[in-house]
Amino acid sequence: MKYFRFLLRYNLKIMKMEASTVATAKKSIQEGQAEIRLTSDKVFYNPVQEFNRDLSIAVLSVFTKDYMEEKLTKALKVKKSEKIVHDATGNCINLEIPVTILEALSATGLRSIRYAKEVPNITKIIANDLSEQAVETIKSNIVHNGVEDLIETSHDDACMLMYKHKHPSQRFAAIDLDPYGCPSIFLDSAVQSVQDGGLLLVTATDMAVLAGNSPETCYCKYGAVSLKTKCCHEMALRILLQCIEQHANRYSRYIVPLLSISADFYIRVFVKIYSGAIHCKKTTSKLSMVYHCVGCDNITLQPLGGFKPNPTEKNPQQTKGYLPAAPPVGEYCVHCNQRHHLGGPIWSAPIHDDAFVSRVLTHVQDNPALFGTAKRMRGVLAMVREELPDAPLYYTQDKLFGRVHLETMPMLTMRSAILNAGYKVSYSHAAKLSIKTAAPAQLVWDIIRTWEKTHPVKPAKLESDPVAKYILSQPIKSGVDLSERPDANPISRRDGQLRFQFNPAPHWGPGSRAAVNIGEEKVSKALRNQNKHSSKEKNSGKRDHSPPSDDEVHKKSNIEQTVT
Ligand SMILES: [Zn+2]
């Protein structure tokens, strides 16, 4: 009964709010080729995410071309007599392949309008939002930008809309999920309503949860335990990827990551979705549990599965799945004699497709005028291309040397020492001081112990820190050569690319949750902050694009009763 009373008030508030909405535009925003008029301050728009939108446009521009070619090739296998005919811009003109895109949580419609004006080959875009006020804003912006022929609006629950499109004939070529907070509630419907070979673009902004501040919540939302480590941003990407993979596997589908980006206050992944039960059996070999040493921050991965050759006369390439031996660490860490925490599972296979990223980078380099954040895109994509694909996660220079109270070694010396020992090394785009390498941790600590011989720690500091003392007292077992070499400096760094962005604006962040569903009454700060802890939990969750859960209804109902 309480629920229905709440719904009644909830709807009345929205109706009152709509009636009082000023019809005239309050302000407009120019981004890319789109101009957006905000008819209300209560519609969600975040200017800091321009990089996210620019990147999505570059990715979609390359993807739609690939997608058309793949679908055309398949279609022509059926109609063998026809040949593909291209126009001057390289687009096929004799066979129509529908390229439909869903922006499930559209808010202002800015993203959809930019897609319509800037991404080639799109045949239809659906811009959906649960808020009627947002949909009205989107409609007016579509007309304002003259893209009525390409964009349809939809006023629906995002999940319900996607479920309506899960039949193969109704599926989308690409679905963009950019919620405020966690995207996991949308994944079940999203993985079912993307075409085979289609693209899923997913943002998550609940970084506190993904970065280990609340591992219990992370398990509830993403099905994986997050850890507080220096490599938490890449771990966040890998947690999100395993979450999407698990949702896809339930329907005999699987993901192929094209590009995975950690930027500012959010992460963004671009994954292709394919069908194939046999491929799904390989999932466990792409996932790992994470042993995290609480003393020295060392990370050791435990794969959930593996594949080994099992050749037969009929099929010499045949492989067979097996269960790897566990655990990969002893009871105490061999480097610092402390215990471990266990996190994960995470996606431990490659998180980027180098060939695809290379083409996106070329597209940005060839069309710098198309993107307001072109300089940053070039820097980040160049770094992504340099990342080692087979070395999940990373060390950080400050954490390694800070752990043993040492003066930090120059980054080029550290990287040179790893290269001199015969191992590869790269940065991660996710952290400025990252050291990504498949070299054993023994070598990394041996390099630090060698450095300590010429840059000794004050004895008093070691007396008060038995872990640091233990690490530095271990014998050096590897041959360490600290002489610098030119190839230790990556090309993106030598070229002076904009690799890491400084805070782009004052008070930057994910912005405020869309206010359209909150109502117009001013709720006092004290009142808003009551049950602060549970409110925080909610803020790290979903944006108000889906109907409130029973728990949320109960909380809102309590607030409303106090207000009225
Ligand atoms: Zn340790």
Side-chain angles (χ1 to χ4, degrees):
M1 196 58 200
K2 202 180 246 182
Y3 175 76
F4 290 112
R5 272 211 310 273
F6 165 73
L7 275 185
L8 190 62
R9 280 196 192 134
Y10 189 75
N11 287 333
L12 278 173
K13 278 188 174 195
I14 291 175
M15 284 165 68
K16 269 198 290 180
M17 193 170 58
E18 281 159 4
S20 65
T21 301
V22 183
T24 52
K26 284 192 172 177
K27 57 181 175 180
S28 65
I29 293 149
Q30 180 80 42
E31 189 184 292
Q33 292 178 32
E35 187 182 78
I36 295 298
R37 293 187 299 181
L38 295 180
T39 52
S40 165
D41 288 338
K42 293 174 181 175
V43 176
F44 190 85
Y45 166 72
N46 191 345
V48 179
Q49 290 230 36
E50 183 180 359
F51 173 71
N52 181 333
R53 288 183 282 269
D54 278 355
L55 195 61
S56 304
I57 285 164
V59 166
L60 278 170
S61 299
V62 175
F63 163 77
T64 51
K65 198 163 185 295
D66 288 354
Y67 179 82
M68 296 251 311
E69 292 292 346
E70 277 173 28
K71 294 291 175 191
L72 275 171
T73 309
K74 269 191 185 174
L76 289 176
K77 272 185 186 168
V78 183
K79 299 179 183 179
K80 284 181 183 165
S81 56
E82 290 185 34
K83 282 187 178 172
I84 304 175
V85 180
H86 293 96
D87 64 11
T89 57
N91 295 328
C92 170
I93 53 174
N94 63 329
L95 195 56
E96 189 177 341
I97 300 293
V99 182
T100 54
I101 295 184
L102 169 66
E103 191 193 3
L105 313 160
S106 195
T108 60
L110 169 60
R111 195 179 283 263
S112 288
I113 291 166
R114 287 198 63 190
Y115 289 171
K117 296 188 105 170
E118 299 173 43
V119 178
N121 303 318
I122 294 176
T123 51
K124 187 168 102 175
I125 297 171
I126 296 182
N128 176 69
D129 206 286
L130 184 66
S131 153
E132 199 172 338
Q133 191 175 340
V135 174
E136 288 308 312
T137 304
I138 297 167
K139 279 181 183 168
S140 103
N141 281 322
I142 289 172
V143 174
H144 182 64
N145 285 273
V147 284
E148 302 95 317
D149 57 328
L150 273 182
I151 305 181
E152 268 179 27
T153 56
S154 160
H155 176 211
D156 204 346
D157 173 87
C159 293
M160 293 312 296
L161 177 63
M162 289 189 277
Y163 283 130
K164 286 175 203 163
H165 286 79
K166 69 178 193 176
H167 188 274
S169 64
Q170 298 286 314
R171 287 175 180 164
F172 299 99
I175 294 180
D176 194 326
L177 293 174
D178 187 29
Y180 182 93
C182 173
S184 61
I185 58 165
F186 304 108
L187 293 178
D188 182 72
S189 48
V191 296
Q192 295 182 69
S193 45
V194 177
Q195 285 284 353
D196 216 29
L199 186 70
L200 204 52
L201 308 86
V202 185
T203 305
T205 65
D206 53 341
M207 290 308 293
V209 169
L210 284 162
N213 279 353
S214 181
E216 310 84 3
T217 310
C218 190
Y219 184 81
C220 296
K221 289 178 181 293
Y222 293 94
V225 174
S226 57
L227 294 168
K228 240 183 208 176
T229 78
K230 278 285 185 177
C231 56
C232 60
H233 289 98
E234 187 179 311
M235 187 155 168
L237 284 168
R238 293 178 180 277
I239 286 174
L240 176 57
L241 288 171
Q242 74 80 34
C243 184
I244 302 172
E245 173 79 347
Q246 285 203 17
H247 279 91
N249 283 174
R250 286 169 199 153
Y251 305 100
S252 298
R253 311 195 88 189
Y254 62 97
I255 66 166
V256 176
L258 295 181
L259 175 63
S260 309
I261 294 290
S262 162
D264 307 331
F265 52 85
Y266 62 88
I267 54 172
R268 175 83 159 159
V269 298
F270 304 87
V271 299
K272 273 187 165 183
I273 303 273
Y274 288 99
S275 300
I278 291 176
H279 285 276
C280 292
K281 289 177 82 174
K282 292 181 179 166
T283 294
T284 53
S285 65
K286 301 172 192 167
L287 302 180
S288 294
M289 300 305 289
V290 182
Y291 284 86
H292 173 230
C293 173
V294 297
C296 66
D297 210 32
N298 190 47
I299 296 277
T300 311
L301 297 186
Q302 168 66 51
L304 296 190
F307 272 80
K308 58 186 175 187
N310 184 36
T312 59
E313 225 172 82
K314 217 174 175 184
N315 183 5
Q317 303 300 321
Q318 185 173 285
T319 55
K320 187 183 175 187
Y322 70 94
L323 285 177
V329 294
E331 188 176 0
Y332 295 95
C333 172
V334 292
H335 309 293
C336 73
N337 207 33
Q338 300 298 303
R339 305 292 293 268
H340 295 88
H341 284 157
L342 181 61
I346 63 164
W347 178 267
S348 47
I351 60 174
H352 316 293
D353 177 324
D354 183 57
F356 183 83
V357 176
S358 167
R359 292 175 56 217
V360 175
L361 179 56
T362 305
H363 179 73
V364 177
Q365 284 167 337
D366 292 347
N367 304 281
L370 294 182
F371 306 105
T373 62
K375 196 176 170 193
R376 186 180 181 196
M377 290 167 80
R378 285 199 304 271
V380 170
L381 291 171
M383 284 200 78
V384 162
R385 287 213 61 211
E386 288 167 354
E387 276 180 20
L388 292 180
D390 49 1
L393 307 177
Y394 47 81
Y395 303 92
T396 59
Q397 182 88 333
D398 54 339
K399 178 77 180 182
L400 280 173
F401 286 81
R403 184 66 203 85
V404 287
H405 311 289
L406 264 178
E407 178 191 326
T408 306
M409 176 191 281
M411 185 57 110
L412 289 188
T413 312
M414 184 78 196
R415 291 168 58 93
S416 297
I418 293 171
L419 290 170
N420 290 336
Y423 294 96
K424 291 180 180 172
V425 64
S426 78
Y427 282 93
S428 159
H429 77 279
K432 194 173 182 179
L433 297 174
S434 51
I435 301 165
K436 191 182 255 303
T437 179
Q442 174 72 39
L443 173 70
V444 174
W445 285 119
D446 280 348
I447 292 170
I448 292 167
R449 282 187 280 262
T450 305
W451 176 255
E452 195 262 344
K453 289 190 181 308
T454 51
H455 302 78
V457 186
K458 286 179 185 166
K461 284 195 172 173
L462 289 186
E463 286 312 314
S464 60
D465 186 348
V467 176
K469 191 175 178 181
Y470 184 93
I471 294 172
L472 291 177
S473 66
Q474 297 305 299
I476 297 172
K477 294 178 182 170
S478 331
V480 175
D481 176 2
L482 296 182
S483 47
E484 285 193 12
R485 43 193 283 171
D487 58 344
N489 199 9
I491 294 169
S492 66
R493 192 164 177 260
R494 261 181 277 166
D495 289 354
Q497 301 262 17
L498 179 58
R499 299 164 357 121
F500 297 98
Q501 175 86 343
F502 293 104
N503 293 356
H507 314 299
W508 66 303
S512 304
R513 185 183 296 266
V516 276
N517 292 342
I518 292 173
E520 286 197 319
E521 287 90 339
K522 295 279 182 200
V523 181
S524 76
K525 191 176 178 185
L527 200 56
R528 272 189 281 121
N529 283 350
Q530 71 176 5
N531 302 322
K532 196 175 178 184
H533 182 69
S534 47
S535 170
K536 261 188 188 171
E537 288 269 302
K538 196 174 67 178
N539 281 340
S540 66
K542 58 184 183 268
R543 181 166 139 198
D544 288 345
H545 273 291
S546 57
S549 67
D550 289 349
D551 192 33
E552 286 169 347
V553 168
H554 180 67
K555 280 178 206 155
K556 282 186 179 177
S557 179
N558 281 346
I559 291 177
E560 296 210 354
Q561 280 169 2
T562 322
V563 173
T564 49

